[in-house]
Amino acid sequence: MLDKKFSPDRQTAFEARFEAQKIAFGPVVFQCVRYAWKRGMLQTLADAGETGLSIADLAGTGRWTEYALKVVLETCLSAGVVFVHDGRYALDKAGFCVLTDSITQINIDFNHDVCYQGLFKLDESLDAEKPIGLKALGDWPTLYQGLSELSEPAKTSWFAFDHYYSDTSFPSIMPDVFATAPRKVMDVGANTGKFSCVALDYNADVELHLVDLPRQLSVAATSLETAGVRERAHLHPTDLLDPAVALPSGMDVIWMSQFLSCFSEPAIATILQRAAAALAPQGQLLVMDTFWDRQRYDIASYCLINTSPYFTAMASGNSKIYESGDYVRLAEAAGLKLLTARDGIGYCHSLLRFGRAE
C-alpha cells in the first residue's frame, strides 16, 4: 500500500470541521449545482459576465421564481460555484468548470442518472457484496446484463462515462497493441466493439476475437458491420463469471480494457488463469485500466476512488477501481509476469504488459 494523503499538511481542526460539513451536505450541494446547470442559471450568469445579475434581474426573465433562485444560488455560493458582489451573482471558477468542462458534466450526469438513487442502498450492498442499489434501474443480477436495456437518461449517461475514459486512450494505444506483430488478438470484455473496430482498421491483417456476454456482443456486431470489418471478427458469447468456461486458445495478444475492474478479486484470479492458458507460447496479455495509485494528479485519483461505490451498489457488488499492485499480484499467481508498465495514456489510463512466467 502506497503512502497517500489528500488533506493539507497544516490543516487546522476548524478547517477539518468545515470539510466534514461539506461531506454531510454533499448530496444537497450536488443537486442544487446540477439544477443551476441544467436549468440554465449558470449559463445566464456566464452570459452576464463579471458584472453579474441580481435575483430580481434573474427572476425578471420569467424562467425562475425568486424563491428557487435564492435556494439554488445560495447553495451554489457556498460551494464556490458563484459569488456575490454588490448584491449581484456572477459565475465563479468552479461554476465555469461545471458549465464548460466535459469530464465534470459527464461525471455529474453519470452520478445523477445512473448512481444517485441506488447509492441509497450502499450500506446494504457493502454488507451483502451484491448490487442491491441496481433495482433503481432494473431487475438484473448485475448491471452488465442490463446495459443494452437501460432506460434513458441512464443509458446515455453510462455510455458517455464509459467511453470518455476509454475513447481518449484507444487511438494512441495501437502501436502498443501491435508492437509484437500479433496475428490473432482477443478483446476480452468487448462491450460495444469500439476497441475491436479501431484495431481492425489499424491493421488490415489482424484477426479479432471478441469475448463478452451475448447481449453486449450483439451490439458489438452492429458496430463491426457499420465499420465494414465484420468479416475479420469472431464473436464468442461467454459468461466469464463461470470459471469452467475456457477462452479461445492460441492468442498472440489478449486485450483487456477497463474490464477486470468489473469483477471481484477471486473472479479476476480465474479470468487471468484462463487468459494465461489461452496465450500462444510467446503471447502477451495487455491490461489497460484506470489505477488510482498511478495517477499524476490528485483530481484523477479522487474521481477514480469515488467511482468504486458505483461498482458496489450498481454494477456488481464486489468490484472496484483497483491499485495496480492488485492486478500484478493476481497475474503472478496465474503464472504471468509483468514485462512493462506505461502511464499517462489518455485521460488517466495505464497499460500493464504481461508475459508467461519462465
Side-chain angles (χ1 to χ4, degrees):
M1 179 67 178
L2 75 167
D3 294 335
K4 186 66 179 176
K5 184 180 181 181
F6 284 88
S7 60
D9 289 334
R10 295 184 176 274
Q11 186 180 55
T12 66
F14 185 82
E15 290 168 340
R17 196 179 190 197
F18 188 14
E19 292 302 311
Q21 304 323 302
K22 292 179 183 178
I23 296 170
F25 285 93
V28 177
V29 175
F30 176 88
Q31 290 292 0
C32 285
V33 172
R34 179 183 176 275
Y35 182 96
W37 168 40
K38 294 290 186 179
R39 297 300 181 89
M41 289 182 188
L42 299 185
Q43 185 61 59
T44 301
L45 292 177
D47 293 342
E50 294 182 0
T51 56
L53 294 167
S54 68
I55 293 293
D57 293 333
L58 290 162
T61 66
R63 299 176 64 186
W64 316 279
T65 65
E66 287 198 7
Y67 170 77
L69 286 162
K70 288 179 179 179
V71 168
V72 171
L73 289 180
E74 286 169 9
T75 290
C76 289
L77 172 66
S78 74
V81 172
V82 299
F83 66 92
V84 179
H85 179 67
D86 289 338
R88 303 168 73 85
Y89 281 92
L91 198 67
D92 212 339
K93 291 179 180 178
F96 181 80
C97 290
V98 172
L99 195 58
T100 63
D101 182 51
S102 295
I103 190 58
T104 300
Q105 295 177 349
I106 286 169
N107 285 341
I108 290 175
D109 284 341
F110 175 75
N111 281 307
H112 183 268
D113 299 335
V114 178
C115 305
Y116 203 89
Q117 294 183 61
L119 282 173
F120 188 77
K121 299 290 186 179
L122 180 62
D123 52 352
E124 296 177 39
S125 299
L126 285 166
D127 291 343
E129 293 193 7
K130 294 182 179 179
I132 294 173
L134 179 57
K135 287 184 172 32
L137 298 179
D139 189 18
W140 309 290
T142 71
L143 181 66
Y144 309 110
Q145 282 90 343
L147 273 180
S148 61
E149 301 175 14
L150 281 175
S151 60
E152 295 293 355
K155 187 173 186 178
T156 295
S157 294
W158 189 93
F159 280 103
F161 181 83
D162 180 74
H163 289 169
Y164 185 91
Y165 284 89
S166 60
D167 287 1
T168 56
S169 305
F170 286 167
S172 65
I173 207 70
M174 287 301 123
D176 296 90
V177 174
F178 290 98
T180 56
R183 300 301 297 269
K184 294 179 69 175
V185 174
M186 182 159 59
D187 181 6
V188 181
N191 203 352
T192 61
K194 281 211 166 192
F195 166 81
S196 293
C197 288
V198 174
L200 288 165
D201 180 66
Y202 183 87
N203 187 301
D205 298 319
V206 70
E207 175 186 307
L208 250 295
H209 293 258
L210 286 72
V211 176
D212 211 325
L213 293 168
R215 288 178 180 173
Q216 265 57 40
L217 286 185
S218 66
V219 176
T222 301
S223 300
L224 292 163
E225 289 169 4
T226 301
V229 293
R230 178 65 181 85
E231 71 279 359
R232 288 188 288 134
H234 306 271
L235 307 183
H236 304 274
T238 305
D239 181 2
L240 285 160
L241 285 174
D242 183 351
V245 177
L247 291 169
S249 62
M251 296 295 156
D252 299 313
V253 163
I254 297 178
W255 170 260
M256 298 180 185
S257 174
Q258 290 181 206
F259 172 70
L260 293 177
S261 55
C262 300
F263 300 94
S264 67
E265 284 202 18
I268 293 172
T270 69
I271 292 169
L272 291 175
Q273 289 165 8
R274 284 173 280 167
L279 287 173
Q282 301 302 315
Q284 295 184 347
L285 168 66
L286 275 61
V287 177
M288 187 171 76
D289 222 320
T290 52
F291 304 108
W292 71 261
D293 63 312
R294 300 188 71 95
Q295 303 305 311
R296 181 178 179 183
Y297 299 109
D298 281 351
I299 184 174
S301 296
Y302 180 89
C303 291
L304 294 172
I305 286 171
N306 289 297
T307 301
S308 287
Y310 143 77
F311 285 102
T312 307
M314 311 301 298
S316 66
N318 53 19
S319 60
K320 65 188 295 291
I321 300 295
Y322 289 94
E323 292 182 56
S324 57
D326 294 326
Y327 283 11
V328 174
R329 168 174 49 83
L330 293 167
E332 289 175 347
L336 300 167
K337 63 178 179 180
L338 181 66
L339 302 176
T340 61
R342 183 162 84 85
D343 300 323
I345 302 167
Y347 182 67
C348 55
H349 284 79
S350 297
L351 178 67
L352 305 182
R353 183 184 296 270
F354 296 95
R356 294 180 182 273
E358 297 178 357

